[in-house]
């Protein structure tokens, strides 16, 4: 059986991949949906080119699909159909505790006839965030909602010092599950090499602070 990872390039899906691989699950495809107009992952601000570079560094086949917000469901269903046609039998996700989000994806995956796997589901976010660091993954906070309490941390490396800072903010989920922040993983134990990029400026667009990665 061959699986795909559904990912935006961040820490949760990367940790889900790591756990799935260590459990003996064969993950072959790196699936990502990005914004058609900007060429970037929505809310993360990461360019499609870096997403493809991440997939290749992880030894996975990239499958990226462009969409607009109003067309997301149709694009996701098309992606699932393409996966099924290419012999993929299931999809791995990095959801943690948002039941409505999990249900939306799980219903559509199962309707397509694919298996649905959630390696992180129901676990404590603070513990999972520490596991990302302890496993040796390297990630940057690349975006943050200006209204949700973590945007001032955008641009910093995800490490124990940063997690200690997040722990002092009771209204911020340690994994950013409510959209407080998003990450981009550029190296780790299952990477063949780090993803190469240059750090750009911090910019504010549409209520979010972004770190430009070039």
């Amino acid at each position: 059986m061959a699986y795909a990872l559904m990912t935006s390039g961040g820490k949760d899906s990367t940790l889900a991949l790591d756990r799935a691989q260590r459990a003996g699950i064969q993950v072959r495809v790196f699936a990502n949906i990005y914004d058609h107009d900007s060429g970037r992952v929505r809310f993360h601000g990461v360019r499609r080119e870096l997403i493809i570079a991440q997939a290749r560094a992880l030894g996975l086949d990239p499958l990226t699909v462009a969409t607009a917000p109003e067309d997301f469901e149709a694009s996701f269903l098309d992606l699932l159909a393409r996966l099924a046609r290419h012999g993929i039998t299931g999809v791995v996700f990095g959801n943690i505790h948002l039941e409505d989000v999990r249900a939306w994806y799980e219903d559509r995956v199962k309707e397509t006839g694919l298996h649905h796997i959630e390696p992180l589901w129901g676990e404590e976010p603070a513990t999972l965030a520490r596991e990302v660091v302890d496993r040796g993954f390297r990630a940057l906070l690349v975006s943050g909602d200006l209204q949700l309490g973590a945007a001032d941390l955008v641009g910093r490396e995800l490490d124990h010092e940063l997690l200690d800072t997040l722990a002092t903010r009771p209204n911020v989920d340690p994994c950013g599950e409510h959209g407080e922040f998003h990450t981009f993983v550029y190296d780790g134990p299952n990477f063949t090499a780090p993803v190469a990029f240059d750090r750009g400026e911090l910019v504010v667009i549409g209520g979010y602070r972004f770190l430009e990665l070039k």
Side-chain angles (χ1 to χ4, degrees):
M1 299 176 69
Y3 285 77
L5 174 71
M6 190 70 204
T7 179
S8 54
K11 62 179 176 23
D12 300 333
S13 53
T14 305
L15 181 61
L17 170 67
D18 181 51
R19 284 194 176 184
Q21 290 176 325
R22 285 188 284 146
I25 295 171
Q26 181 189 3
V27 182
R28 197 174 78 200
V29 175
F30 184 106
N32 170 266
I33 297 178
Y34 66 96
D35 181 72
H36 178 273
D37 291 338
S38 67
R40 299 168 184 262
V41 179
R42 194 168 183 230
F43 302 122
H44 291 238
V46 176
R47 294 182 294 112
R48 173 178 176 267
E49 291 81 2
L50 285 176
I51 291 295
I52 292 175
Q54 186 191 60
R56 290 175 175 159
L58 286 164
L60 304 180
D61 296 329
L63 175 58
T64 60
V65 174
T67 192
E70 63 273 16
D71 298 325
F72 184 86
E73 180 173 8
S75 298
F76 180 63
L77 293 175
D78 177 64
L79 183 149
L80 293 177
R82 291 170 64 182
L83 290 173
R85 287 196 301 269
H86 286 84
I88 297 300
T89 53
V91 187
V92 177
F93 290 83
N95 292 310
I96 299 172
H97 58 71
L98 298 181
E99 293 184 3
D100 56 336
V101 174
R102 171 177 174 158
W104 191 92
Y105 285 102
E106 186 171 8
D107 289 348
R108 286 153 182 80
V109 169
K110 289 183 174 179
E111 286 171 2
T112 309
L114 300 173
H115 297 283
H116 176 270
I117 297 181
E118 295 278 4
L120 312 183
W121 184 254
E123 297 192 32
E124 174 59 42
T127 302
L128 291 171
R130 298 282 180 184
E131 183 178 342
V132 171
V133 176
D134 289 340
R135 285 286 297 153
F137 289 105
R138 302 194 65 186
L140 291 171
L141 268 67
V142 290
S143 71
D145 190 312
L146 294 173
Q147 302 299 317
L148 296 182
D152 61 305
L153 303 175
V154 171
R156 288 182 56 177
E157 184 91 14
L158 184 71
D159 55 20
H160 284 301
E161 182 180 354
L162 177 59
L163 294 176
D164 289 343
T165 299
L166 290 172
T168 68
R169 304 183 182 189
N171 295 323
V172 176
D173 185 283
C175 283
E177 276 289 272
H178 301 288
E180 297 96 330
F181 63 90
H182 299 286
T183 58
F184 177 70
V185 181
Y186 63 91
D187 197 10
N190 51 355
F191 281 64
T192 59
V195 177
F197 61 86
D198 292 321
R199 291 176 62 117
E201 298 179 349
L202 291 170
V203 297
V204 174
I205 302 173
Y208 283 79
R209 178 174 283 114
F210 294 97
L211 172 65
E212 174 70 9
L213 300 181
K214 302 177 181 180

